Amino acid sequence: MIRVKLKAWTASFRFPTFQSGYQPTLPVPPPSTIQGILSAAKGEPVYLTELPYLGYVFKSEGVGIDLERIYALGKVETDIIRREFHYNAELYLYLPDEWEEVFRKPRYQLLMGRSSDIATVEEIRKVNLEEKEAVLGGTVVPVELGIPGIVHALVVEFDYTSTPRRARLVKPFIILPYPRTRAERKRQTAKVFYDPDLDIGVYLHRWSK
């Protein structure tokens, strides 16, 4: 398999339960954001349920708050909202080998969230992951894995054959922030694949089954 490293100055992933007012960011990208990145790279809709496997790890140097002016149709006055964002973000994608050519020359701009969160491909390399007990983080895992954490119903993929797009698959996930403390590393351990370069476990999703 290959590992693609993306970097971005900022990244933001919308909390599905917040529709207005203060806009926090999820600690990690939901699967639908990964679908968007793969689709932009390939230049056509990509469905995660058609991939044999997919893993990802996200981390950043911290979270900041931006002020954003909102113009509403039919209103003269404007609103100011506070929006959270990650800064100096890195996203590692674990994909089958055939995706190497796609990311060597992405068809469209890659985004880590919103249109202003522009990402670049920094590295593509082949990796061999070993299955063992390892610390997970910077990703989402299925509830069935038994790791404690924040549970959210997240869109796995959207159906792009209709306008507006509709959620095609929604599943509950445990959201695991990138581990930074000893307690998080101990709590977020499971038998998964291990990336020795990053010293992190990688959960490979197989929605095609």
Side-chain angles (χ1 to χ4, degrees), residues 2-4 100 103-104 121-126:
I2 62 165
R3 185 183 68 205
V4 180
E100 179 172 354
F103 277 97
R104 291 282 178 203
V121 179
E122 183 157 297
E123 181 186 67
I124 302 174
R125 64 184 305 177
K126 293 188 183 300

Side-chain angles (χ1 to χ4, degrees), residues 133-149:
E133 288 283 331
V135 178
L136 283 162
T139 191
V140 300
V141 297
V143 176
E144 298 77 27
L145 198 60
I147 296 180

Side-chain angles (χ1 to χ4, degrees), residues 7-57:
K7 289 202 71 172
W9 286 347
T10 61
S12 55
F13 313 112
R14 192 175 70 83
F15 242 89
T17 51
F18 282 74
Q19 298 298 326
S20 61
Y22 179 63
Q23 296 289 304
T25 178
L26 287 171
V28 304
S32 57
T33 296
I34 307 301
Q35 182 196 16
I37 291 172
L38 298 186
S39 299
K42 195 168 185 179
E44 61 185 60
V46 172
Y47 294 98
L48 303 188
T49 51
E50 296 175 1
L51 300 181
Y53 61 84
L54 162 72
Y56 65 93
V57 174

Side-chain angles (χ1 to χ4, degrees), residues 9 24 26 36 38 50-51 75-76 79 94 111 117 129 136 141 154 158 175 186 190 205:
W9 286 347
L26 287 171
L38 298 186
E50 296 175 1
L51 300 181
K75 291 177 64 176
V76 176
D79 294 323
Y94 298 82
L111 305 173
D117 302 322
L129 305 185
L136 283 162
V141 297
L154 300 174
F158 285 100
I175 296 177
K186 184 177 181 180
H205 295 277

Side-chain angles (χ1 to χ4, degrees), residues 131-135 189-192 194:
E131 194 169 10
K132 58 182 286 189
E133 288 283 331
V135 178
T189 298
K191 188 173 184 180
V192 289
Y194 175 68

